[in-house]
Amino acid sequence: MAKLSLISIPALMVPSVPANAIATLLHSPRKGQNKASQYWNKLHNSTSWLLLLALFGCVSMLKFVITWHPREIISDACYQENSNVNPFDAERQEKMGFITQLVDFPVPLQPHSLDSGLKETEREFWRQPDSLGYKPCIDFSVSYRKASPRIMQQNRKFLIVVVAGGLNQQRNQIVDAVVIARILEAALILPIMQVNVIWGDNSEFSDIFDVDHFKDTLKGDVRILSSLPSTHIMTRPVEEKRTPLHASPQWFRTHYLKRFNREGVLLLRGLDSRLSKDLPSDLQKLRCKVAFHALKFAAPIEAVGHKLAERMWGQGPYLALHLRLEKDVWVRTGCLPGLGKKYDDEIKLERILKPNLLTGRSNMSYEERKLAGLCPLNAAEVVRLLKAFGAPKRTRIYWAGGEPFGGDKALEPLQKEFSYLYNKDTLALPEELQPFRKKASSLAAIDYLVSLNSDVFMPSHGGNMAHSLKGHRAFTGHRKHITPNKREMLPYFLNSTISQLDFDNTIKRLHNESMGQPAMWKDKKGRDVIGYPVPECMCQQSVTD
């Protein structure tokens, strides 16, 4: 069977052509119908027919070149139902062994091919994991699809949710909100974004995400409304703040449906981790659909994020680091930045003044927390880890995150070892970031996009962004994603007698299975399909398919 191949190239290499240029080519003005009839009579000779065929061939080829985008083809049968694909085309494509579906979420630039001039250790650092043939595949069951028209038509129950936290906490809660709306068969009002008390970000949903895309992508799953209909404006919503952690779909139905059916409007707050991660298959697929397709960033964010990614990508392979070095991170984790007594004392004092900020395990000392893998890696530890993995000294690094506590001093070890160190402030022009200066979630979204596009990604600490990117990078082709095994490796960091060679070999051995290769959602209890989309949202295809 003949195979179809596409070569992906960065978007900046594809010249843009105005839409009206295409329209001009394809739809010339109609004039002189009688004259056209006269011309038609002359087309019966073979020369005219050949000229006509050549003209249509040129126009078709030009249309293909202009409108083609370097986006991935994925297997996603469920999307055919919600699109306007000609059934004959879908059937023909299925016989060829695949169904094409263009992903509207910003698709990452392809990882760079390995330069033959690289040393073997350098080639190993940039080498991508084997995806084992897994491709995105969100195929809902027949029963799910049959229930969808009824759910989309209902106009009596309306769910309002208030989401809080940073960008990736907000994303997680929005995903849960959509799934809860589906469980309760309710229309979802666009989520309300609570003002972030730490960063003072008062962004609304439309400031961060593409509303039209969100609604359109989910139009076959959940009814999405921008606001309550006028018939329910005066309705006092049933407000529930005490939803337990990891509640099952049945719990939501049992506790909310009766009042929901009576009152018509339900208000939920504090959704973080309230919905169970162990859900029926269709709801797991819906989570993937929301996270990886529906939650597309707003156009201004997407434009800047991809522009910065292209600036990094255009110069060769790059590493994205998510550095968790902000002051609030050190306070919340109960850890110390390791920048000297002055800085450590400031963190200790802040923790005494605000004891409620410490998240969990308050009975552990700093040393115990460190050895348990609960502390972020500082810049010096990140450097040592990267060198053990074989990162070339000339590696170009994009670091994502907020202002590090200690400023330039906190980044000094990285800057000293890897001189090609960038972040959004050094990579963008001042006017490009100006619209987002007081919008922490938008700035985090820009970091997310540049990190998503990177050849290699590594977080210095776990968290919502690392978790989301882990799954998103898997969904777009299992791109290399290093997950530091802090609990196992830190004793070797503290061992001053180990040789550099033994240290490097040990670090590599500890991370053999932590490089972004396919990992099953069901292998460990409590895993979230957003971080581990295999096998619920990805199908394994053989190389001969």
Side-chain angles (χ1 to χ4, degrees), residues 330-369:
W330 295 117
V331 174
R332 286 189 292 105
T333 57
C335 301
L336 298 174
L339 299 176
K341 187 176 185 302
K342 170 188 171 184
Y343 296 97
D344 288 352
D345 287 346
E346 186 174 339
I347 294 298
K348 291 175 182 177
L349 177 61
E350 187 77 8
R351 196 172 298 131
I352 292 172
L353 296 175
K354 300 176 181 177
N356 58 308
L357 291 181
L358 183 61
T359 54
R361 306 196 188 187
S362 57
N363 60 328
M364 296 175 67
S365 68
Y366 159 61
E367 289 76 14
E368 291 171 330
R369 298 173 76 85

Side-chain angles (χ1 to χ4, degrees), residues 14 43 115 183 230 255 324 363 420 424 473 486 504:
V14 182
L43 289 177
D115 184 355
I183 291 170
S230 57
H255 286 78
R324 304 297 305 280
N363 60 328
Y420 299 105
K424 53 185 171 291
R473 290 173 68 84
K486 291 183 289 184
D504 293 351

Side-chain angles (χ1 to χ4, degrees), residues 179 183-184 247-254 275-276 278-280 283:
V179 175
I183 291 170
L184 298 176
S248 68
Q250 186 56 42
W251 188 95
F252 278 94
R253 294 188 188 100
T254 300
L275 179 64
S276 172
D278 186 12
L279 298 169
L283 296 183

Side-chain angles (χ1 to χ4, degrees), residues 136-265:
C137 181
I138 304 177
D139 51 340
F140 294 105
S141 69
V142 173
S143 59
Y144 180 96
R145 296 197 297 269
K146 283 184 176 179
S148 293
R150 182 186 75 252
I151 293 174
M152 295 302 297
Q153 291 169 9
Q154 82 78 29
N155 58 4
R156 293 182 59 253
K157 294 181 292 185
F158 302 93
L159 176 63
I160 302 173
V161 297
V162 179
V163 300
L167 171 71
N168 292 287
Q169 281 178 290
Q170 294 169 339
R171 281 170 52 87
N172 292 340
Q173 292 169 54
I174 293 168
V175 170
D176 284 354
V178 172
V179 175
I180 292 170
R182 176 78 189 197
I183 291 170
L184 298 176
E185 300 190 1
L188 176 65
I189 308 303
L190 275 184
I192 299 169
M193 318 296 269
Q194 183 174 309
V195 176
N196 192 296
V197 295
I198 296 177
W199 300 288
D201 188 347
N202 60 355
S203 297
E204 297 181 1
F205 187 95
S206 59
D207 295 323
I208 305 170
F209 302 106
D210 185 328
V211 174
D212 291 337
H213 179 84
F214 184 70
K215 291 180 178 179
D216 188 59
T217 303
L218 298 174
K219 65 185 178 184
D221 306 279
V222 173
R223 187 181 177 201
I224 310 289
L225 301 176
S226 296
S227 59
L228 273 174
S230 57
T231 53
H232 288 70
I233 290 294
M234 301 304 293
T235 303
R236 181 171 182 173
V238 177
E239 183 172 359
E240 179 55 65
K241 302 178 184 178
R242 296 184 297 275
T243 305
L245 292 172
H246 313 303
S248 68
Q250 186 56 42
W251 188 95
F252 278 94
R253 294 188 188 100
T254 300
H255 286 78
Y256 292 143
L257 272 182
K258 186 174 181 180
R259 286 184 296 167
F260 207 172
N261 288 329
R262 182 177 67 248
E263 303 294 340
V265 181

Side-chain angles (χ1 to χ4, degrees), residues 404-420:
F405 178 65
D408 291 341
K409 184 177 177 64
L411 296 174
E412 204 171 89
L414 263 173
Q415 186 70 64
K416 183 177 180 180
E417 188 65 33
F418 300 100
S419 55
Y420 299 105

